[in-house]
Amino acid sequence: MKDVNMKVQWAKFIVVLLLYIAFLIWLKSWLGIVVIPFIFDAYITKKIRWQWWKDAEKPVRVIMSWVDAIVFALVAVYFINQFFFQNYVIPSSSLEKSLLTGDYLFVSKVSYGPRIPETPLTMPLTQHTLPVFKCQSYIPVPHWDYRRVKGLGNVKINDIVVFNYPAGDSVMMADQYQPQDYYQYCYSFGMQNSPEGQRSTEGMSPADVFTHYNRIIADGADFIKQNFAEFGKIKYRPTDRRENYVKRCVGLPGQTLQIKDRIVYINGKANKEPDNVQYTYFVKLRQAITEIPEELLIDLGISTEDLISLNQNGYMPMTEKAYKTLQARKDIVEHIRPVKDSDRIDVFKCYPLNGNHNWTRDNYGPVVIPKKGMTMKLTLDNIAVYDRPIRVYEKNDLQVRGGKIFINGKQTDSYTFKMDYYWMMGDNRHNSADSRYWGFVPEDHVVGKPIFIWLSVNPDSYGSKIRWNRLFRWVDNIK
């Protein structure tokens, strides 16, 4: 009789569980994900004797108590990490000297509103890959459309924002090419190996230029696929499983952005630069790098990475304070000057890769940042700029045929955007892979807002690695 009752209870449980899964797939709502478990706890747990192991023999009781605790912790971490906040560590120097390599950030997801996960079935505390096993940490089905719960506010100009890397939808799986920009490699190898790469665009019509660069990128992609042993498998990642990046928002939806002689202009007005913005300078020393006083390097915020760049390339990034200080130290520096576009040390092509605007990292645009509901006039001169948002992020078929633009098979000269977009840049302006190279950040890629630094570890330190003066420092106070 007892066995029959248990079978009935399990049958009820399976039916309820299937109904719950069906409900989630239909609702696709965070309310369903959060509220239904409470119903589960109030009703189902009274029908199923979950903690049967408490009456078992000691070895089973001990093992199951640990399993119970671990499962509860993983579930709790999943919901907290998914809907409220997560930890993020600064992996590179793109925001120096505002945020430093080794800063651990408390990132709030409620500030801009948590997203409904595209891929809800994932291992907690992983982005896309399981450590040690080096395998995918998520199951691609079910796949839910983008939705966001209303947050406490919206992205503001000069906010530091964590977001999914837009160009990270395709990745080369060979270790040495992660998390490199797949599309920059497609362009580079296409220029080297494609017959189109040897042709000049001089005299081409705008339509032919657009087609020309698309062929170059496609030929580069074919080259990467053919050299599987070198680059590995090309893998697609859903939006919420792409690498997390952190940059400063310097352009909002609907604004017109232009960079002139390194300065960012919004709607024709110069945007305030971050206090610790960095640019690259050529530096010729009178003495060996190792002879520069360590206390001077610390005071100027010059890192080991900066010194390696100086030693290998003859230039390094620095703040205005560091530049003026070294400029005055004739005993240390023989010559110092800013790097210019004409020096051609930037090896990457600026966005759009399939355009011919000849924009550079210091002189870019103007470009209008798309806004939800905005109808944009499309021309053969600007189609390359808006090709990726229309075709990739908003999932339309866009083609240029016979000098005319077709979207989803219909000829058109305009498009109404379905999402807001942002322009993100690093404070280390000459050492940052940002919107100047891969374009707009769609709203569905925005993860959250860093609130404070809860830990900071200095990778260059030989003594105490903790930067005590940065602990619990508010990110909003870093301007």
Side-chain angles (χ1 to χ4, degrees):
M1 189 69 178
K2 186 176 181 181
D3 290 341
V4 173
N5 288 337
M6 278 299 296
K7 288 180 180 178
V8 171
Q9 289 175 4
W10 275 108
K12 288 181 178 178
F13 165 69
I14 291 171
V15 170
V16 172
L17 181 62
L18 290 174
L19 289 173
Y20 172 48
I21 293 172
F23 178 80
L24 288 184
I25 293 173
W26 169 73
L27 190 63
K28 299 182 182 179
S29 165
W30 74 284
L31 286 173
I33 296 173
V34 174
V35 172
I36 297 302
F38 286 101
I39 299 174
F40 170 87
D41 184 67
Y43 175 75
I44 299 179
T45 56
K46 289 180 171 53
K47 301 295 182 181
I48 301 295
R49 191 164 164 264
W50 293 104
Q51 296 185 328
W52 57 267
W53 46 269
K54 286 190 173 181
D55 297 327
E57 298 295 326
K58 187 173 182 180
V60 175
R61 189 166 68 249
V62 171
I63 292 171
M64 289 304 301
S65 66
W66 278 101
V67 171
D68 182 71
I70 291 170
V71 170
F72 175 81
L74 288 175
V75 171
V77 166
Y78 174 86
F79 284 109
I80 292 171
N81 195 66
Q82 187 68 57
F83 298 106
F84 298 100
F85 67 85
Q86 72 177 64
N87 171 57
Y88 179 78
V89 60
I90 302 291
S92 69
S93 60
S94 68
L95 269 171
E96 291 193 353
K97 295 301 190 259
S98 300
L99 293 178
L100 308 180
T101 304
D103 280 349
Y104 286 75
L105 305 177
F106 177 95
V107 179
S108 165
K109 293 191 173 182
V110 297
S111 293
Y112 305 135
R115 297 175 297 179
I116 307 304
E118 276 191 34
T119 50
L121 300 182
T122 182
M123 179 62 70
L125 299 179
T126 64
Q127 182 60 21
H128 48 67
T129 304
L130 280 175
V132 182
F133 299 101
K134 302 294 183 182
C135 63
Q136 184 172 290
S137 65
Y138 62 93
I139 299 174
V141 289
H143 185 277
W144 296 342
D145 293 335
Y146 164 67
R147 290 181 65 189
R148 185 183 295 274
V149 181
K150 185 174 178 59
L152 300 178
N154 299 311
V155 178
K156 296 181 176 61
I157 199 74
N158 291 328
D159 273 2
I160 293 178
V161 181
V162 174
F163 56 92
N164 295 117
Y165 177 35
D169 55 350
S170 297
V171 291
M172 299 170 285
M173 295 307 293
D175 288 342
Q176 64 269 32
Y177 292 104
Q178 292 192 51
Q180 302 295 328
D181 189 328
Y182 167 72
Y183 297 103
Q184 286 282 353
Y185 274 95
C186 289
Y187 173 82
S188 177
F189 286 121
M191 289 296 290
Q192 296 173 33
N193 300 287
S194 169
E196 289 290 324
Q198 313 307 314
R199 294 177 59 197
S200 169
T201 57
E202 187 175 352
M204 284 189 184
S205 68
D208 288 340
V209 168
F210 181 73
T211 303
H212 166 78
Y213 279 109
N214 280 340
R215 285 175 181 164
I216 287 175
I217 294 169
D219 288 345
D222 288 340
F223 176 85
I224 292 173
K225 289 178 182 177
Q226 291 166 10
N227 289 272
F228 175 83
E230 167 70 14
F231 301 102
K233 181 181 179 181
I234 308 304
K235 185 174 183 60
Y236 172 82
R237 284 179 179 156
T239 300
D240 59 345
R241 297 297 143 213
R242 295 168 193 172
E243 296 287 346
N244 285 328
Y245 270 35
V246 58
K247 307 286 181 187
R248 190 181 297 275
C249 178
V250 299
L252 296 175
Q255 295 182 331
T256 298
L257 176 140
Q258 186 173 14
I259 304 173
K260 294 188 289 186
D261 295 328
R262 308 194 309 189
I263 304 301
V264 176
Y265 288 80
I266 299 297
N267 296 335
K269 183 179 179 181
N271 188 35
K272 180 186 181 302
E273 288 195 307
D275 293 341
N276 292 309
V277 68
Q278 288 197 136
Y279 294 101
T280 300
Y281 297 83
F282 281 110
V283 181
K284 185 176 180 181
L285 300 174
R286 295 186 182 277
Q287 52 192 261
I289 290 176
T290 53
E291 295 178 14
I292 300 177
E294 184 177 356
E295 58 272 17
L296 178 63
L297 297 177
I298 294 173
D299 180 56
L300 299 181
I302 296 174
S303 66
T304 299
E305 180 183 337
D306 299 335
L307 294 176
I308 291 173
S309 173
L310 178 60
N311 187 51
Q312 294 179 347
N313 307 308
Y315 53 78
M316 67 176 175
M318 63 182 76
T319 61
E320 182 75 7
K321 172 189 173 183
Y323 167 61
K324 290 182 176 179
T325 300
L326 290 180
Q327 190 179 40
R329 292 295 299 266
K330 303 300 183 184
D331 57 320
I332 296 177
V333 175
E334 180 178 328
H335 176 71
I336 182 171
R337 73 166 178 85
V339 166
K340 303 175 183 177
D341 280 341
S342 57
D343 294 312
R344 298 183 181 277
I345 68 168
D346 187 8
V347 297
F348 296 112
K349 185 181 189 296
C350 284
Y351 177 87
L353 299 180
N354 57 351
N356 191 30
H357 295 278
N358 296 316
W359 292 339
T360 69
R361 61 186 180 182
D362 288 341
N363 290 278
Y364 191 99
V367 60
V368 178
I369 304 170
K371 181 178 182 179
K372 183 177 182 179
M374 170 189 284
T375 298
M376 184 80 70
K377 180 77 173 176
L378 299 180
T379 69
L380 294 176
D381 289 322
N382 71 8
I383 190 61
V385 176
Y386 302 108
D387 169 51
R388 187 166 175 83
I390 295 172
R391 182 173 49 83
V392 178
Y393 304 139
E394 303 198 357
K395 299 177 174 60
N396 296 284
D397 175 51
L398 186 153
Q399 297 180 23
V400 173
R401 302 194 304 267
K404 296 178 181 179
I405 299 169
F406 294 83
I407 297 179
N408 299 325
K410 296 182 179 180
Q411 182 184 341
T412 185
D413 62 355
S414 64
Y415 179 77
T416 301
F417 288 93
K418 302 171 186 175
M419 289 193 292
D420 285 330
Y421 292 80
Y422 303 90
W423 195 265
M424 307 287 186
M425 288 173 60
D427 294 354
N428 195 354
R429 292 290 165 84
H430 287 166
N431 193 24
S432 173
D434 53 36
S435 286
R436 292 169 294 178
Y437 301 100
W438 35 253
F440 309 105
V441 175
E443 65 173 77
D444 66 346
H445 284 57
V446 173
V447 173
K449 180 179 181 179
I451 302 299
F452 61 83
I453 302 167
W454 65 269
L455 177 66
S456 184
V457 179
N458 184 357
D460 296 336
S461 175
Y462 293 101
S464 173
K465 287 187 174 293
I466 297 178
R467 304 183 184 104
W468 297 100
N469 63 325
R470 294 185 67 80
L471 267 58
F472 301 105
R473 185 175 178 185
W474 296 98
V475 173
D476 270 352
N477 293 335
I478 300 174
K479 300 298 184 181

